[in-house]
């Protein structure tokens, strides 16, 4: 599990957990699709640094100046939010398609599957909000990712519990690594700001904390998958390698399109 340890280099408290929905809606992918329809902004640029009203400083007579983002850094944040929203959409659809088949044969896994689905639904809601707030264009690949994620969830669920867990292991390995890259990038900005006697904008600090929290929750899902015999899937290596390759490809495409 060296990969998991490497991804957790940036500690973050686990005290926060999103509230779970009252209804266990694994069989309602239409509800997931409906939840993002209002977020298809056509704006070409975000308004980083202008997303909240400035207010006079009252706690310190000499506040630190705010770190100014470059155009390249703004584009990085746009791309990060676009990919993250698409990834969380895919995760909710994978669990929606997997769960009925998994819990039919293994009813004791219903609470775990619900827990992981609820967290993914919370992540998706978070990025829907960020996409709208910062006027970031969602990926144009939504229809394709919806079909691909649903098929992946259904097919691995049909293969059995071990294959479904191997799917989770593969997806969360790639997603956890991707979130960690985003966290490290923003931390490098923070270090640069501190070297100048500046500090990150509060909006960006909150985003960094959110990325860390969601990364840790995704890696928690990876742990659950391994604990539930993901490595017993047959064929394990081809299945996991193909899914991981698919995730990396989807990430690269969503960053641009």
């Amino acid at each position: 599990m060296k990969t998991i340890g490497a991804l957790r280099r940036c500690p973050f408290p686990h005290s926060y957990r999103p509230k779970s929905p009252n209804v266990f809606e694994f069989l309602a992918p239409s509800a997931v699709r409906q939840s993002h329809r209002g977020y298809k902004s056509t704006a070409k640029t975000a308004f980083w640094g202008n997303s909240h009203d400035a207010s006079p400083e009252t706690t310190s007579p000499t506040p630190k100046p705010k770190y100014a983002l470059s155009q390249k850094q703004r584009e990085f944040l746009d791309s990060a939010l676009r990919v993250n929203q698409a990834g969380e959409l895919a995760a909710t659809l994978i669990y929606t398609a997997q769960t009925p088949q998994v819990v039919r044969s293994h009813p004791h896994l219903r609470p775990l599957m619900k827990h992981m689905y609820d967290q993914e639904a919370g992540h998706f809601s978070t990025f829907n909000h960020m996409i709208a707030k910062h006027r970031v264009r969602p990926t144009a690949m939504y229809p394709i990712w919806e079909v691909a994620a649903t098929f992946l969830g259904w097919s691995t669920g049909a293969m059995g519990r071990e294959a479904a867990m191997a799917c989770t292991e593969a997806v969360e390995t790639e997603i956890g690594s991707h979130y960690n890259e985003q966290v490290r990038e923003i931390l490098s900005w923070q270090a640069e700001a501190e070297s100048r006697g500046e500090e990150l904008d509060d909006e960006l600090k909150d985003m960094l904390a959110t990325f860390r929290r969601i990364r840790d929750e995704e890696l928690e899902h990876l742990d659950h998958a391994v604990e539930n015999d993901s490595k017993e899937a047959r064929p394990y290596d081809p299945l996991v390698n193909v899914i991981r390759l698919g995730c990396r490809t989807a990430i690269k495409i969503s960053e641009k399109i």
Side-chain angles (χ1 to χ4, degrees), residues 112-185:
L112 174 61
M113 298 298 287
K114 181 181 188 303
H115 167 70
M116 293 193 293
Y117 172 87
D118 285 347
Q119 285 191 324
E120 300 292 6
H123 301 167
F124 185 46
S125 177
T126 295
F127 287 116
N128 280 344
H129 174 73
M130 287 186 177
I131 281 277
K133 183 175 184 179
H134 298 291
R135 302 175 187 169
V136 176
R137 174 186 58 78
T139 177
M141 300 295 288
Y142 251 113
I144 295 175
W145 297 159
E146 286 180 327
V147 172
T150 300
F151 175 76
L152 178 60
W154 177 86
S155 59
T156 53
M159 292 171 66
R161 172 180 64 92
E162 294 84 356
M165 293 298 170
C167 175
T168 294
E169 178 188 343
V171 170
E172 301 299 13
T173 297
E174 292 301 324
I175 295 301
S177 177
H178 191 66
Y179 276 124
N180 210 49
E181 290 173 3
Q182 294 175 355
V183 168
R184 287 182 177 181
E185 180 67 18

Side-chain angles (χ1 to χ4, degrees), residues 156-256:
T156 53
M159 292 171 66
R161 172 180 64 92
E162 294 84 356
M165 293 298 170
C167 175
T168 294
E169 178 188 343
V171 170
E172 301 299 13
T173 297
E174 292 301 324
I175 295 301
S177 177
H178 191 66
Y179 276 124
N180 210 49
E181 290 173 3
Q182 294 175 355
V183 168
R184 287 182 177 181
E185 180 67 18
I186 299 175
L187 284 175
S188 73
W189 303 350
Q190 186 176 58
E192 182 180 354
E194 291 173 353
S195 70
R196 298 179 182 178
E198 301 171 347
E199 65 177 359
L200 296 183
D201 183 88
D202 290 343
E203 189 82 25
L204 194 52
K205 290 180 183 178
D206 290 343
M207 189 175 296
L208 173 61
T210 297
F211 285 8
R212 279 173 149 174
R213 170 180 63 79
I214 292 178
R215 175 204 61 191
D216 290 350
E217 289 176 352
E218 300 290 2
L219 294 177
E220 174 191 306
H221 298 175
L222 193 160
D223 290 340
H224 290 319
V226 174
E227 290 165 1
N228 284 275
D229 301 326
S230 64
K231 297 187 184 300
E232 298 301 317
R234 295 293 180 268
Y236 172 78
D237 287 327
L239 178 64
V240 168
N241 290 338
V242 167
I243 294 173
R244 290 186 63 177
L245 177 60
C247 289
R248 291 195 295 270
T249 302
I251 287 171
K252 293 299 182 183
I253 293 173
S254 296
E255 284 177 344
K256 304 298 182 182

Side-chain angles (χ1 to χ4, degrees), residues 9-159:
R9 292 177 184 174
C10 305
F12 189 77
H14 292 269
S15 58
Y16 177 87
R17 286 294 182 271
K19 296 181 179 179
S20 300
N22 293 327
V23 181
F24 192 20
E25 297 185 78
F26 284 122
L27 299 179
S30 61
V32 177
R33 289 194 294 270
Q34 183 178 4
S35 67
H36 73 264
R37 286 175 181 166
Y39 296 95
K40 294 182 181 289
S41 170
T42 57
K44 294 183 179 180
T45 58
F47 54 102
W48 303 109
N50 299 314
S51 55
H52 58 280
D53 295 333
S55 57
E57 289 284 350
T58 59
T59 58
S60 174
T62 55
K64 289 184 179 180
K66 298 298 182 181
Y67 180 70
L69 294 181
S70 68
Q71 182 60 33
K72 184 176 180 180
Q73 289 169 327
R74 293 168 186 261
E75 291 172 355
F76 173 86
L77 292 176
D78 285 3
S79 176
L81 292 185
R82 180 163 50 251
V83 170
N84 294 353
Q85 187 206 31
E88 299 303 341
L89 167 72
T92 58
L93 293 175
I94 288 171
Y95 283 124
T96 297
Q98 276 182 346
T99 299
Q101 301 179 86
V102 172
V103 302
R104 187 180 300 120
S105 301
H106 304 278
H108 68 284
L109 290 178
R110 181 179 294 273
L112 174 61
M113 298 298 287
K114 181 181 188 303
H115 167 70
M116 293 193 293
Y117 172 87
D118 285 347
Q119 285 191 324
E120 300 292 6
H123 301 167
F124 185 46
S125 177
T126 295
F127 287 116
N128 280 344
H129 174 73
M130 287 186 177
I131 281 277
K133 183 175 184 179
H134 298 291
R135 302 175 187 169
V136 176
R137 174 186 58 78
T139 177
M141 300 295 288
Y142 251 113
I144 295 175
W145 297 159
E146 286 180 327
V147 172
T150 300
F151 175 76
L152 178 60
W154 177 86
S155 59
T156 53
M159 292 171 66

